[in-house]
Amino acid sequence: MKQILIIEDDKNIAELERDYLEADGFSASIAATGEQGLKEALEGEYSLILLDIMLPGVDGYSICRSIREKKEIPVLFVSARREDVDKIRGLGLGADDYIVKPFSPSELVARVKAHIARYERLSPCGTAAGSRLISGELQIDIAARRVFVSGREAVLTNKEFDLLTFLAQHPNQVFSKDVLFDRIWGMDSIGETSTVTVHVNRIREKIEPDAQSPRFIETVWGAGYRFKGE
């Protein structure tokens, strides 16, 4: 049975999420404070985390950042904050989705299922061992989900890795932000393709010798992005 962690200080919302998840065959635990949620997220074994932003103690953004430094599991923000800047910030920190309250419980469960399924398809057990993509000094180890630049490891979030790998698997092809959003995020969760730009910029900061003059991911103005293959 897959374990879900709910980090939510509103008891009614947390119990609603738990009840719907358990009715669909999941096991769900609730953490009501930021400190408790962060401890559970880092020490427990969960298939997915549902995370509120406004929490007592440690806020959701900080929790997401800490999780991404240690683990690669799906993280879904569930928040009453509906401004685009909040959504972009959350996704930029490595969250996999952003769901605005009030939400449809059945839709929430559907998104949980979809993200767990996507993560399992992209995890090492579903990839041939030893599969690597190499372009100059850049090496992408698909099986281990690790990226190296000139022998130095660049630590990418789950979505950053997926986006870089997709582009590298299709060298010299131009993909619009709409297409990349659909391929990597897969669901019309917020409909904001600007998150693609956020992720591309973060990838460049981690793998490019000069992020202002990118060598690997090129911007094709008015069209999208292209991975420059060798």
Side-chain angles (χ1 to χ4, degrees):
M1 181 180 293
K2 289 182 170 56
Q3 303 283 329
I4 309 296
L5 174 61
I6 301 168
I7 307 177
E8 169 64 67
D9 64 322
D10 187 313
K11 181 180 178 181
N12 291 331
I13 292 177
E15 291 181 349
L16 176 67
E17 293 174 348
R18 182 194 61 195
D19 292 347
Y20 269 84
L21 288 166
E22 291 182 346
D24 222 282
F26 294 99
S27 175
S29 301
I30 297 173
T33 67
E35 289 90 345
Q36 180 190 0
L38 179 58
K39 183 175 186 294
E40 289 290 332
L42 297 181
E43 296 180 359
E45 294 297 327
Y46 295 97
S47 298
L48 182 142
I49 295 174
L50 294 176
L51 177 60
D52 190 14
I53 291 177
M54 296 178 287
L55 294 163
V58 184
D59 65 63
Y61 291 135
S62 299
I63 292 173
C64 183
R65 185 184 298 109
S66 297
I67 292 171
R68 281 292 171 254
E69 291 174 352
K70 302 289 185 181
K71 293 187 173 184
E72 283 298 344
I73 60 174
V75 176
L76 279 62
F77 274 118
V78 183
S79 174
R81 299 176 68 163
R82 59 182 61 243
E83 296 299 322
D84 288 348
V85 65
D86 296 312
K87 300 172 186 177
I88 292 172
R89 182 182 179 190
L91 294 169
L93 287 171
D96 297 272
D97 205 345
Y98 193 109
I99 301 168
V100 176
K101 301 174 184 176
F103 55 85
S104 161
S106 58
E107 181 183 356
L108 176 74
V109 173
R111 293 191 186 282
V112 166
K113 288 181 176 179
H115 280 291
I116 291 176
R118 176 172 289 106
Y119 180 80
E120 290 177 344
R121 287 198 305 271
L122 294 171
S123 65
C125 62
T127 308
S131 178
R132 286 176 178 263
L133 296 172
I134 301 175
S135 180
E137 63 269 37
L138 175 67
Q139 294 190 40
I140 304 173
D141 187 332
I142 299 176
R145 294 182 67 81
R146 301 175 73 184
V147 177
F148 299 88
V149 182
S150 300
R152 174 186 59 83
E153 183 169 8
V155 180
L156 273 61
T157 67
N158 192 36
K159 281 292 184 285
E160 289 167 1
F161 181 88
D162 295 342
L163 180 55
L164 174 61
T165 300
F166 176 79
L167 288 169
Q169 287 174 327
H170 302 84
N172 304 314
Q173 296 184 42
V174 178
F175 293 94
S176 69
K177 288 188 286 187
D178 288 324
V179 170
L180 291 172
F181 185 86
D182 181 65
R183 294 293 183 90
I184 304 304
W185 281 264
M187 296 172 294
D188 189 20
S189 55
I190 61 172
E192 288 292 342
T193 57
S194 55
T195 191
V196 175
T197 302
V198 172
H199 281 69
V200 167
N201 290 338
R202 290 172 66 91
I203 294 170
R204 284 172 171 165
E205 291 172 359
K206 296 178 180 181
I207 71 169
E208 298 282 4
D210 181 359
Q212 301 304 313
S213 301
R215 183 183 306 174
F216 300 112
I217 301 179
E218 299 178 319
T219 299
V220 181
W221 297 107
Y225 297 102
R226 169 175 60 205
F227 184 87
K228 186 177 180 181
E230 293 189 354

